[in-house]
Amino acid sequence: MATPTGHTGGDLLVEVLRRHGVDTVFGIVSVHNLPLVEAVDRELRFVPVRHEATAVNAADGYARARGGLGCALTSTGTGAGNAAGSLVESLSAGTSVLHVTGQVDTPYLGSGRGFIHETKDQLGMLTAVSRHAVTLTDPESAGALLEEAVARALAAPGGPSSVEWPIDLQYATHPLLGPAGSTPAPGAPPEPNALAAAAGLLAAAERPVVWAGGGVADAGPALRAVVELLGAGLLTSNSGRGAVPEDHPLCVGNYATSPGGRALLAEADVLLSIGTHFRSNETADYTLAVPAAHIQVDLDPAAVGRVYPATHGLVADADAFLTALAAELAALGAAPRAPWTTRVRAAREAVREQQRAALGDHTAFPDALRKVLPRRAVIARDVTIASSSWGNRLLEIHDPRDNLFPRGGGIGQGLGMAIGAAAARPEEPTVCIAGDGGLAVHFGELMTLAQEAPWLVLLVFDDGGYGVLRNMQDGLGRARSGVDLTSPDYAAVCRALGLAHTRITDPTSVTSALDDAVGLRRPVVVEVDLAAYPPMPAPFTPPVHVPGAPS
């Protein structure tokens, strides 16, 4: 099909992305998205990943690492289906992703003729895994519908918007939108009487604890002010890490279910929870006890009291609430209780020391990473033993934009997120912590690393399979099933791709190997040979309930 004169759909997409500060797009080219890819590649930066799921993961990582919007381009049918699992992750995390997929020509749309790349009810599939989904039906309305999709993705609590764009309309001439961009609406303020009641309860508390979730990502300064005014112990979910830097003396961190975290909650007289889902894996399947006096703040009215009863429930934006709360507490003369702040600091040290003892020689990895990385470096973590045992807790996070991991728990997504983050912040190193099993899911993205050459250290912990599940089966006395995998010769693979490679076999070489890898300022695969490296004192198993198993 000949390209007409004037602005195509690709030009319109570029304009919309520029209005929202997006300079890099991730995807796979297809006959059903060619005008979009060509325009992006000409005017912005197009990163050709090797799988559509990675395109969405990379757009997700890009959005998290820089704040704002990420964009992924996929083909229709199977291509859009491949992206669905990663859209579930974006939806779970509330990440602002614009997913644009092609669609067959409008005369054949929905005809059921088996037109190439056509699939049954693609929009229904996208609606199920996206916050918002729409089909573009004509060039005249395309700009407004794209802007609406972006606005829906960016509006708190965030999530993916999927747009399917028939290929004949992509080639058509489109009117452009003009220079003006949208302004995000201010966050929902707290109701004054409810705010006053919460402030009064907290100001009078002797032993307050704050539990912060992913909803505090943009509320760090206000959260820190409240914590310091109260002298409160700060617990976080995995998603809430870094809003207050984890080297702050009142930040206990992601340790609520540890013995020290449980003890602190048992002693507390008031809990303030903000923007957290109280996920099952972070509450010991909802058995973790919390104080009876519970102030819960969330944008979602349905979240208030859903897991734990809330004596004071507020529906509000986290930053708006915490800013107003800090002012109220200051007016009330709130001040830290010295005995409690001493107790909180002791708990902070105790939970870390206990974990370090359980890790043994594996403490070398978080210690070395913090030593060789700049304070602001992206740390992306796939679902693997290294992440679950120390990456999600002991490895300090200093800003929410540095804290990337699959919040929905899906394995294999870490490298894609890291690729997106490295593209978003090229002047800082990105580290990806992955296992050999997770890396195998999207092993082809090693070719993306070789082609795009980001400043990315891929730290692969190779135990020859799915170590978490292997440990579960071993611990339950069961035969191993489906957990042992063949590992490649990573050095040979890296040689073939022109990637730097190094191998760690003992604790004494960890710091120097990671320091050298970061210093290269290009992609490096650091293989940790867990068959040679000393094991943890006790095998790591996930905090999941197995019916009939000993507790």
Side-chain angles (χ1 to χ4, degrees), residues 82-155:
N82 285 344
S86 297
L87 288 169
V88 170
E89 167 57 29
S90 174
L91 188 63
S92 297
T95 310
S96 302
V97 169
L98 177 65
H99 167 228
V100 182
T101 176
Q103 187 49 285
V104 303
D105 301 73
T106 49
Y108 308 109
L109 187 60
S111 67
R113 298 183 182 184
F115 198 90
I116 181 99
H117 292 181
E118 182 186 14
T119 189
K120 178 184 176 182
D121 192 18
Q122 177 172 286
L123 185 63
M125 175 191 71
L126 294 173
T127 298
V129 295
S130 305
R131 189 179 185 198
H132 171 73
V134 66
T135 304
L136 302 189
T137 56
D138 58 76
E140 290 70 31
S141 65
L145 290 175
L146 283 169
E147 279 290 322
E148 180 188 5
V150 170
R152 294 285 292 273
L154 290 170

Side-chain angles (χ1 to χ4, degrees), residues 436-528:
D436 57 303
L439 178 61
V441 176
H442 291 298
F443 199 75
E445 301 309 333
L446 291 178
M447 288 179 268
T448 305
L449 286 185
Q451 180 168 325
E452 298 298 314
W455 190 3
L456 193 157
V457 176
L458 174 56
L459 188 54
V460 184
F461 288 80
D462 182 9
D463 61 1
Y466 301 126
V468 171
L469 295 167
R470 180 190 294 140
N471 289 346
M472 282 185 65
Q473 290 176 347
D474 290 351
L476 293 168
R478 298 179 179 178
R480 292 183 179 180
S481 301
V483 296
D484 295 323
L485 303 174
T486 297
S487 293
D489 182 335
Y490 288 100
V493 170
C494 289
R495 279 196 303 273
L497 293 174
L499 289 171
H501 169 271
T502 191
R503 183 166 167 264
I504 293 173
T505 60
D506 67 272
T508 62
S509 63
V510 173
T511 300
S512 60
L514 293 178
D515 192 27
D516 291 345
V518 172
L520 288 176
R521 301 180 70 94
R522 58 188 172 92
V524 184
V525 176
V526 179
E527 173 191 356
V528 181

Side-chain angles (χ1 to χ4, degrees), residues 349-444:
E349 297 305 317
V351 295
R352 284 162 174 77
E353 287 306 311
Q354 182 181 37
Q355 188 180 24
R356 294 179 72 86
L359 290 170
D361 288 317
H362 287 251
T363 59
F365 294 103
D367 290 349
L369 285 169
R370 266 294 143 231
K371 182 176 181 179
V372 306
L373 290 173
R375 186 171 178 85
R376 290 298 311 279
V378 176
I379 299 171
R381 309 180 300 285
D382 200 11
V383 178
T384 186
I385 288 177
S387 298
S388 298
S389 60
W390 52 261
N392 293 344
R393 291 174 183 82
L394 192 62
L395 177 57
E396 284 184 356
I397 299 290
H398 300 134
D399 189 280
R401 304 294 177 212
D402 308 338
N403 180 32
L404 274 62
F405 69 98
R407 297 186 192 181
I411 193 171
Q413 302 183 87
L415 179 55
M417 291 181 179
I419 289 170
R425 289 164 52 180
E427 298 307 313
E428 298 164 334
T430 293
V431 171
C432 178
I433 299 168
D436 57 303
L439 178 61
V441 176
H442 291 298
F443 199 75

Side-chain angles (χ1 to χ4, degrees), residues 304-321:
V304 177
R306 181 165 52 198
V307 176
Y308 292 104
T311 52
H312 294 69
L314 293 89
V315 177
D317 171 78
D319 190 47
F321 169 78

Side-chain angles (χ1 to χ4, degrees), residues 213-263:
V216 303
D218 296 319
L223 175 62
R224 180 171 182 162
V226 167
V227 168
E228 291 177 348
L229 279 165
L230 294 171
L234 176 61
L235 294 168
T236 73
S237 70
N238 205 0
S239 302
R241 299 179 65 200
V244 172
E246 291 188 323
D247 54 359
H248 190 287
L250 295 176
C251 181
V252 179
N254 184 25
Y255 284 95
T257 57
S258 71
R262 289 174 181 269

Side-chain angles (χ1 to χ4, degrees), residues 9 14 51 57 99 101 124 253 264 282 291 318 390 410 489 514 551:
V14 167
H51 195 280
N57 286 145
H99 167 228
T101 176
L264 197 69
E282 295 173 332
W390 52 261
D489 182 335
L514 293 178
S551 58

